Amino acid sequence: MIDAVLVMNTQGKPRLAKFYKSLSPVKQQEIVRKVYTGLSSRAEHFCNFVEADEIFGAGTKLVYKHFATLYFVFVIDSGESELGILDLIQVFVETLDSIFKNVCELDIVFNFNKVNTVLDEIVMGGQVVETNSTEIVKSVQEIFK
C-alpha cells in the first residue's frame, strides 16, 4: 500500500502532500520535514529507495525521484514493489508534463486542483488504480471541461 505521496522542492517546501493514513497536521509536517532532511542529504548517485522505519514505522520505504527542483516521493509498505513505484513516479511526471506542457514547480503551485486530480486518477486510497498516461490525461480533461 502507498502510505503517502509528497512533492517538495529542493528547499523543503511541500508542494503536494497526500497521506493515505489518518495523521494529525502536526505529525504530517514532522514527516515532511524528516523526509526532506533524509533526501536532501543523499548524493545524486545513491539509489532511489530509502528505508523509512523511523519515520513511518516498520517495513516502510521511501521511493523517490529528483527532477530539476522537485522531489517526487512515495512512501510505501513492504507489499509494494520499489521498481513498480519508481515507474509510477515516472507515469505521474509524464502525465503532468503532457497536461502542463513541461511541468514546473509553479504549475504545481498554481494548478493544485488539477495536480490533485491527476494523482487521484493514479492512486486512490493508497492503491494504484491507473498507470496508462493517455487514459489519465483523457479523464482529467473530461473532469475539467
Side-chain angles (χ1 to χ4, degrees), residues 9 17 39 46 48-49 56 59 66 69 78-79 82 106 110 113 128 133 135:
N9 68 12
L39 295 184
F46 285 177
N48 294 8
F49 314 130
F56 275 90
H66 185 203
T69 62
S78 58
E82 294 93 347
L106 290 176
F110 292 117
N113 288 338
V128 178
S133 186
E135 290 299 317

Side-chain angles (χ1 to χ4, degrees), residues 7-142:
V7 178
M8 60 185 75
N9 68 12
T10 52
Q11 284 79 40
K13 289 194 182 276
R15 297 308 184 192
L16 173 71
K18 188 147 197 167
F19 292 86
Y20 296 102
K21 287 185 174 179
S22 181
L23 299 168
S24 71
V26 172
K27 181 71 173 164
Q28 290 178 7
Q29 289 175 347
E30 178 185 330
I31 287 170
V32 169
R33 208 170 15 261
K34 286 181 179 179
V35 167
Y36 172 73
T37 302
L39 295 184
S40 64
S41 63
R42 291 175 61 87
E44 284 291 320
H45 65 279
F46 285 177
C47 92
N48 294 8
F49 314 130
V50 180
E51 296 290 332
D53 295 339
E54 69 282 350
I55 299 172
F56 275 90
T60 57
K61 293 180 183 173
L62 302 177
V63 179
Y64 72 96
K65 199 145 185 180
H66 185 203
F67 291 100
T69 62
L70 294 170
Y71 287 103
F72 290 81
V73 185
F74 279 59
V75 181
I76 62 169
D77 63 14
S78 58
E80 292 288 340
S81 162
E82 294 93 347
L83 291 175
I85 297 298
L86 199 57
D87 189 45
L88 192 65
I89 293 171
Q90 187 68 35
V91 168
F92 184 41
V93 172
E94 285 175 3
T95 304
L96 291 175
D97 270 346
S98 43
I99 288 174
F100 295 115
K101 311 296 182 238
N102 282 334
V103 69
C104 68
E105 186 174 349
L106 290 176
D107 291 325
I108 292 173
V109 171
F110 292 117
N111 296 289
F112 183 74
N113 288 338
K114 200 173 268 192
V115 174
N116 248 333
T117 302
V118 169
L119 183 59
D120 287 344
E121 289 294 318
I122 297 171
V123 179
M124 187 169 288
Q127 301 294 320
V128 178
V129 292
E130 183 63 71
T131 59
N132 185 334
S133 186
T134 308
E135 290 299 317
I136 297 164
V137 170
K138 278 186 207 173
S139 296
V140 170
Q141 287 172 342
E142 280 294 314

